[in-house]
Amino acid sequence: MNLFFEESGDFKAGSVLSQAGEAYQVELASGKRSKVKAKDVLLQFTAPDPATLLEQAKAAAADIDLEFLWEVAGQEEFGFAELGAEYFGHALQAVEAASLILALHNAPVYFYKKGRGRYKAAPEASLKAALAGIEKKKQQLLVQASYVDQLKQHRLPEVMKSLALQLLFKPDKNSIEYKALAEACDVLQTTAPRLMLANGGLSSLKQLHLAKFHFEHFPKGVGFPSITVPALPTDLPVADVQAFSIDDVTTTEIDDAFSVTDLGQGQLRVGIHIAAPALGITRGDALDQIARARMSTVYMPGDKITMLPDELVDAYTLGAGQTRPALSLYATINTEDWSVLATETKVEAIPMASNLRHNDLDALVTEENLANDAGDYPHKAEIARLWQWAQVLEKGRMAKRESFGMKPEQTNRVDFNFYVEDDVVSIVRRKRGAPLDKIVAELMIFANSTWGKLMNDCGIPGIYRAQGVAGGRGPGGWAARMQVRMLTHAAPHQGLGVDQYAWSTSPLRRYTDLVNQWQIIACARNGVTAPLVAPFKPKDADLFAIVSGFDAAYSAYADFQNNMERYWCLRWLEQENARQVEAVVLKDEVLRLVDIPLIIRLPGMPQTARGAQVRLDILRWDEVDLTVEARLLELLSTVTELDEDEELEAEAGLEEEDAVASDAPESGETSESGANDDEAMSIADQPVAETEELPQAE
C-alpha cells in the first residue's frame, strides 16, 4: 500500500513499511523513511508507484481549468473528493485525486484552505480583486524588466530622470523604479550612485555629494521664502569713527569691523563693531524662524548656503561706504602697557570706510613690515596699533591658559584655503598666526569674552562655550576632558585662556550669535534691569532647545564641509596629475599630504615618529566613496613640528575623513574659500574633531 500525504505544507508519496495504531512507517522514493500520522494521509493507493504518481499528478494539476473548477465548487465548504467527482464526472483515480489536491492547494486566490483536504471557493468579488492584483503585478514586472534592460544598457528610463535623486537618497523601496535600480546594480555589480552617474541620472560627482546633504538637511530646497526686509533703525546715534573690516576676498557676510581713535595722553579707544541684525529680527518672527531652522551658514569650497536671506544680509552687512547698525564694544587702552582701562557697549550706527581683503594685504602686513613701519596700505596706522594690542592680548591669554595647566598655543601650523572657479580648484597654503589673522582673532576673543561677562554680570543667560575641567583633571582621556561644551551660563574656556566665552561676533552667520546679540543689546540698553526685558529669561527651556539644535546642525554642517573639502582634494589630485606626493605623519598610520589637507590612513606602515615627512605613491582614489589608496615610497629627512591640534586630528581622523573642523576663528565655519574667519582657537572640540584655532579669512 502507498500513501499520498501532507507534511510541513508539502505533499509527498511513499510506500508503507509498517503500521502501528494511527501511525505509518513510510519509505519515500528517495529512500528516506518517515513517520506519518493517519490524520495527515489524504489518499491510499496501490498503483502507480509513489514516484510516478507525483510526477503524473503535477503534470495533470497544471492542466486543470481553475476558472471552471471554481464555478463547479459553489460557495459551500467541500472536501477534495466531493469536488473531484463533479469535476471529472466519475469516481477519482489516484492520479486525478492527487492532481486535484495539488491544484486546490496551489490556487489560494481561488480556494481558501479550511482543513486537511477541505477548501472553500473564494467569493466572486474577492476573486476578481485578487486576479486584478495579479495582473497588475505581472504588468509591473514587465515594466520593471524593461527598466532593468535600459539601465543595463546605460540608458536611464524617462520616468526615472525626475526621480534620480530620490531613488538614491530617500527611495520608496516598494516602487518598481527602486526595485529595477537595485536589480540592475546587482546584475552589473555596481552601486546605485555609480550607475546613476554612468546613466546620466547625476550630472557630476559634485552633485552627488551636494544632493545627499540637501536631501537630508534641506529637503524643501535651499531657497528662502519671500520675506519683507525690516527697515533699518533710524534713531541710532552715528559713531564718530571710520571703521574697516578684514576678510577673505570671497566673504559677503561682513559682520565684524574695527576702529581706532587716539584719545591723547597715551590712550586709545579701540572699537569692535559687529553687524546688528538683532535690531531687525525679533524672537519668534518669520526671520527668526528661518534663521533657527538653519542654525548656521553652511560652508563648502566654492559655495555656501546662508543662514539668512541675501536681502537681509545685504541690509545689515558692514559694506564699505555704508552706515550700518552695529553692536559696538569700545575698549579704552593705556598705550604704555596696552592694558584695558575700561570697556563700553553701545548700540549705534557705524560708518564703514573700507572692506580690506587678505589677498590684497597679506604680503604687505607682515611682522617685519610692522616692526619697520614699511609698506603702504589702507589703515596702516590703525592696523599697527591693533597689532601691538593683539600681541598683548595673546600673551595674557597664554598666561591664563598656562594657569589652567595647559601648554602654550603653537602657531606654526599651516592652513589651507580652497578656491573653486568653473570646477577648477586652487588649494592655497596659508600659515596661521599672520598679523591680520592674529588681530582679528584676538579682538574677537576679547569681544566674546567681554560680552560673556557682561551677560553674566547682568544676570541673564546666554550661549557659552566652555572647555576643560578644574585643574585639567577628570575622567576619561585628555581629549575627552578637553571637549568643548555649550552651556547657558558662564564657565571657563581653558583652551582659549579666558574665564568665559560666548559666541557673539557672527550674528549674520550663526544663530547662537544672534541669540546672544539680543541678550547683549538688552544689557547695553537696560543694565541691571536687563533680566526684565531680555528675550530669554533665566532657565528658559527654549534656550536649552536652541543649544541642542545648534549642536546637532553645526556638527552635521562641519561633517559636510569636511567631505566636500576631501572631494576637492581628490579633484586636485586628478587636476594636478599628482601621483608621487609628500606627506607628514600625524600619528601611527595616519598621514596628511603636505600640499593639500588630505588625510590618508596607510595600514601596515612601519612605526614612524610624529612629524616625519614621507613620500607616497598615490595608487588610486574614489570620488564617490572619497577613499584613497597609497603606498610608502621613502622616508624623508624633513621633520615637521606638529601642534596639539594635529595630534588630536590624528586621534580623531578616520581613513576617509579629515576629522578637523575649526571651532571658532569665528570660525568653525570655513567658507567658500575653505578658510576660517575670525577668532583664534586651539583645542579640540566636537568631540575632539573640532578645533579652536587662529583663523583664516572667511
Side-chain angles (χ1 to χ4, degrees), residues 417-474:
N417 287 9
F418 289 73
Y419 299 94
V420 178
E421 186 173 352
D422 296 330
D423 280 345
V424 176
V425 62
S426 300
I427 304 178
V428 181
R429 290 166 55 92
R430 188 165 183 269
K431 187 175 181 180
R432 295 185 180 182
L436 291 179
D437 286 341
K438 189 171 293 188
I439 288 170
V440 176
E442 293 299 335
L443 269 62
M444 293 304 106
I445 293 174
F446 177 78
N448 286 329
S449 179
T450 302
W451 277 333
K453 184 177 186 301
L454 176 63
M455 289 189 288
N456 187 57
D457 290 346
C458 288
I460 63 172
I463 299 178
Y464 293 83
R465 295 180 73 77
Q467 185 182 52
V469 293
R473 302 181 184 279

Side-chain angles (χ1 to χ4, degrees), residues 374-438:
D376 185 21
Y377 45 86
H379 300 280
K380 179 179 178 180
E382 293 100 316
I383 289 173
R385 295 295 188 91
L386 294 179
W387 169 241
Q388 289 178 280
W389 187 35
Q391 293 178 89
V392 174
L393 288 173
E394 181 187 43
K395 185 177 180 180
R397 285 196 310 108
M398 292 304 98
K400 186 77 171 180
R401 177 183 162 101
E402 290 184 47
S403 74
F404 288 134
M406 300 182 65
K407 297 178 182 179
E409 288 177 345
Q410 299 178 32
T411 58
N412 61 326
R413 186 174 175 183
V414 173
D415 279 319
F416 297 86
N417 287 9
F418 289 73
Y419 299 94
V420 178
E421 186 173 352
D422 296 330
D423 280 345
V424 176
V425 62
S426 300
I427 304 178
V428 181
R429 290 166 55 92
R430 188 165 183 269
K431 187 175 181 180
R432 295 185 180 182
L436 291 179
D437 286 341
K438 189 171 293 188

Side-chain angles (χ1 to χ4, degrees), residues 218-485:
F218 294 88
K220 296 181 180 179
V222 298
F224 290 96
S226 178
I227 66 162
T228 300
V229 178
L232 296 177
T234 58
D235 58 346
L236 299 177
V238 178
D240 184 18
V241 299
Q242 290 296 302
F244 61 95
S245 64
I246 304 172
D247 293 282
D248 186 75
V249 65
T250 57
T251 302
T252 56
E253 299 156 289
I254 301 173
D255 44 22
D256 56 81
F258 312 100
S259 65
V260 180
T261 304
D262 193 336
L263 301 178
Q265 300 180 341
Q267 293 186 2
L268 287 180
R269 185 179 69 172
V270 173
I272 302 171
H273 311 289
I274 306 300
L279 296 174
I281 303 174
T282 303
R283 179 184 176 186
D285 69 9
L287 290 170
D288 176 40
Q289 292 175 31
I290 289 173
R292 183 166 177 175
R294 300 197 173 199
M295 287 293 183
S296 171
T297 290
V298 182
Y299 293 98
M300 70 202 85
D303 202 0
K304 62 182 174 182
I305 304 169
T306 59
M307 180 180 77
L308 294 169
D310 290 345
E311 308 95 294
L312 187 74
V313 172
D314 291 344
Y316 282 89
T317 191
L318 302 180
Q322 306 292 326
T323 298
R324 289 289 184 256
L327 179 63
S328 298
L329 174 62
Y330 288 102
T332 302
I333 299 169
N334 181 346
T335 56
E336 289 187 8
D337 59 2
W338 294 94
S339 61
V340 178
L341 302 176
T343 60
E344 181 182 14
T345 298
K346 291 185 176 182
V347 181
E348 57 187 5
I350 295 296
M352 287 296 300
S354 310
N355 294 140
L356 305 184
R357 303 295 184 175
H358 282 284
N359 61 311
D360 296 327
L361 295 182
D362 277 351
L364 294 172
V365 186
T366 62
E367 291 192 39
E368 183 179 0
N369 283 352
L370 286 165
N372 298 319
D373 193 27
D376 185 21
Y377 45 86
H379 300 280
K380 179 179 178 180
E382 293 100 316
I383 289 173
R385 295 295 188 91
L386 294 179
W387 169 241
Q388 289 178 280
W389 187 35
Q391 293 178 89
V392 174
L393 288 173
E394 181 187 43
K395 185 177 180 180
R397 285 196 310 108
M398 292 304 98
K400 186 77 171 180
R401 177 183 162 101
E402 290 184 47
S403 74
F404 288 134
M406 300 182 65
K407 297 178 182 179
E409 288 177 345
Q410 299 178 32
T411 58
N412 61 326
R413 186 174 175 183
V414 173
D415 279 319
F416 297 86
N417 287 9
F418 289 73
Y419 299 94
V420 178
E421 186 173 352
D422 296 330
D423 280 345
V424 176
V425 62
S426 300
I427 304 178
V428 181
R429 290 166 55 92
R430 188 165 183 269
K431 187 175 181 180
R432 295 185 180 182
L436 291 179
D437 286 341
K438 189 171 293 188
I439 288 170
V440 176
E442 293 299 335
L443 269 62
M444 293 304 106
I445 293 174
F446 177 78
N448 286 329
S449 179
T450 302
W451 277 333
K453 184 177 186 301
L454 176 63
M455 289 189 288
N456 187 57
D457 290 346
C458 288
I460 63 172
I463 299 178
Y464 293 83
R465 295 180 73 77
Q467 185 182 52
V469 293
R473 302 181 184 279
W478 177 80
R481 297 197 303 272
M482 295 311 298
Q483 181 174 344
V484 174
R485 297 161 293 145

